[in-house]
Amino acid sequence: MDLDLETLLIARVLPMTLVTAIFATTAAMRHNDEANRAWTAAFAGALCVTALDAIYAADGSAPLVVVAAGDASTVFAVGAMWAGCRLLDGRERSNIWMAVVAAAAVALPTLVQTSDPDLDLSTTLRAAATGGFAWLAATELLRGPMRLNLNARILQGTFLLFGAWYVAVAALYASGAVRPGVVGVALPFTALFVVSAVCLSALRVERAGNWWSMSAEARRRSKLNVLASDAFREDAADRLERATRAGSHVALVLAEIDDLDELNSAFGREAGDSALVHFSGILRSRVPADALLGHLGAGRFVVLVVAANAETPRRVVDAIRTGLTESAVGEGMELRTGATFGTGHTIDSPATFDSLLGRADADLAKARQN
C-alpha cells in the first residue's frame, strides 16, 4: 500500500495527538495513580516519536541525535505500557527503569557513529526491543484474573500481534532480505496506541471508584445493611462497657474478603460491590441475632458478639464459611468468595475495642501467612 507523505502524517499525527491529550487529561484529573502515570509517559513517548517523524519527514533525512531520540522514544513508549500493565496487575513495582535502560541501549549505537547512521541496525534494534516489550505487556495481561476481562483480552491480542510483527521486522532487517517501508512500521505503532487508549480507559472506569460522586458512594454503602466504621466503633464501645459491668465476655471476629481487588479488575466494580453485599447478607443470616455487624472498608467486616467461652468466635467463623461455600455471588456468575478471619476475645485481651481489633488483626495477618 502506497500513501503519500501528507496522508501518512495525518494518519499518524492526528490520532496520536488526540489520544495522548485525552488520556493525559483524564489521568491527571481523575485517575492520577502509578499505573496511569506510567501509561501517560508511554503516550508522551509515542507522541514524541510521531512528532520527530513529522518534523524531519519532509527532506527525508535527520541528524543522528534525532534518529537516536526516535528509536529511544519508540522503545520507551512500549516499555512504559508494559510497566503500567504490571501495576494494573497488582505488582508492587513497575520496573519502568528497564524501559529507560533499553531505550538508552538502542539509541547508543546511533549516537556513537560519526557519519550517516546505519538505519538497518537502528531499525533492527528498535523493532526487536519494542516487540519484546509488547510481548511482555501481553504476558502481564494474561496473568491472574485480568485474563477474564474483555478489554484486557482485546489489549492482549493487540500487543501479541504487534510484538510478533515488530520481531518479524527486526528479523527481516537483520537478514537484509526484505525491508518493510514506513507504512509497515509506523502505522502499526500508531494503531497500537489508539487501541490501547480505548481499552485502558475502559479498564480504568471498571476498576476505579473515584469516578463516582460521594453521594453514589454513600448509596453503595447503604446496600450493605451493616454499620459503617464510625457507627460500629461507637456502638461496640458502648456494648463492651456494659458487658464489662455485667461480668460478661465479648468476642470480635474480623473477616476480610479474599482477592477483592482482583475481582474488581476482572469483572468491574459492580462485581466487587455484589461480593460485598453478598458477604454482608451471609453475616446477617449466619451470625447470632444479637451480634453487632460492621464494615470497616476495603472488604473488611467485623462482628462483635457475646461469648461465654473461647469457642464462640470459632463457631461464628465456621458458620460464615459454611454460608460462603453454599451460595454464589450474583445471579448467573457462579463465583464463590472466600475470606480470611481473625478473632479476639476479652478472656485474653483487655475489654476495649482497639485491643480486640488489634488482636483480631494480628490473628488475620497470621492466617494469611499460613
Side-chain angles (χ1 to χ4, degrees), residues 36-67:
N36 285 292
R37 286 195 290 271
W39 289 325
T40 299
F43 279 96
L47 184 60
C48 180
V49 176
T50 306
L52 289 174
D53 287 350
I55 292 172
Y56 289 96
D59 57 7
S61 63
L64 291 178
V65 66
V66 172
V67 175

Side-chain angles (χ1 to χ4, degrees), residues 166-359:
Y166 259 56
V167 170
V169 167
L172 291 173
Y173 268 89
S175 66
V178 181
R179 297 179 179 177
V182 65
V183 174
V185 177
L187 290 187
F189 183 80
T190 303
L192 173 71
F193 279 85
V194 172
V195 173
S196 295
V198 175
C199 292
L200 292 178
S201 296
L203 286 171
R204 285 186 316 190
V205 171
E206 288 175 350
R207 70 173 299 173
N210 58 353
W211 278 90
W212 298 2
S213 64
M214 291 303 296
S215 60
E217 178 73 7
R219 288 194 299 271
R220 180 175 69 89
R221 289 181 178 178
S222 68
K223 296 179 181 179
L224 298 180
N225 291 320
V226 298
L227 294 175
S229 178
D230 291 342
F232 181 88
R233 287 176 178 271
E234 183 177 346
D235 286 2
D238 176 69
R239 187 165 296 193
L240 279 164
E241 181 181 355
R242 289 187 288 113
T244 301
R245 289 178 179 177
S248 302
H249 287 290
V250 175
L252 185 143
V253 175
L254 179 64
E256 184 175 72
I257 298 177
D258 295 334
D259 302 322
L260 184 61
D261 287 341
E262 288 78 3
L263 183 64
N264 284 328
S265 298
F267 299 100
R269 188 60 181 266
E270 290 186 1
D273 291 346
S274 295
L276 293 174
V277 174
H278 173 69
F279 194 88
S280 69
I282 288 176
L283 291 182
R284 292 175 61 81
S285 63
R286 296 284 176 166
V287 304
D290 60 348
L292 192 65
L293 307 179
H295 179 232
L296 302 183
R300 283 194 161 200
F301 290 84
V302 64
V303 180
L304 191 72
V305 61
V306 175
N309 56 66
E311 293 300 316
T312 301
R314 181 53 50 197
R315 288 197 293 269
V316 172
V317 170
D318 290 342
I320 297 172
R321 282 191 170 132
T322 299
L324 291 174
T325 302
E326 292 178 352
S327 59
V329 179
E331 296 182 1
M333 292 185 67
E334 293 303 322
L335 293 174
R336 283 174 170 77
T337 56
T340 304
F341 298 88
T343 62
H345 199 291
T346 54
I347 291 178
D348 49 20
S349 295
T352 66
F353 176 76
D354 287 337
S355 63
L356 280 176
L357 182 62
R359 180 67 178 267

Side-chain angles (χ1 to χ4, degrees), residues 55-118:
I55 292 172
Y56 289 96
D59 57 7
S61 63
L64 291 178
V65 66
V66 172
V67 175
D71 292 342
S73 297
T74 302
V75 174
F76 173 78
V78 181
M81 292 294 289
W82 163 69
C85 290
R86 283 178 57 84
L87 294 170
L88 182 74
D89 207 22
R91 304 270 197 170
E92 292 184 2
R93 296 180 178 86
S94 68
N95 287 346
I96 197 171
W97 62 269
M98 294 179 62
V100 176
V101 171
V106 168
L108 186 60
T110 300
L111 289 174
V112 299
Q113 295 181 65
T114 57
S115 59
D116 291 337
D118 184 348

Side-chain angles (χ1 to χ4, degrees), residues 71 74-79 82 102 106 123-139 156 158-171 185 189 192:
D71 292 342
T74 302
V75 174
F76 173 78
V78 181
W82 163 69
V106 168
T123 304
T124 300
L125 293 176
R126 180 187 65 200
T130 304
F133 276 122
W135 276 348
L136 285 175
T139 301
Q156 291 161 14
T158 303
F159 273 111
L160 285 172
L161 291 174
F162 175 85
W165 173 241
Y166 259 56
V167 170
V169 167
V185 177
F189 183 80
L192 173 71

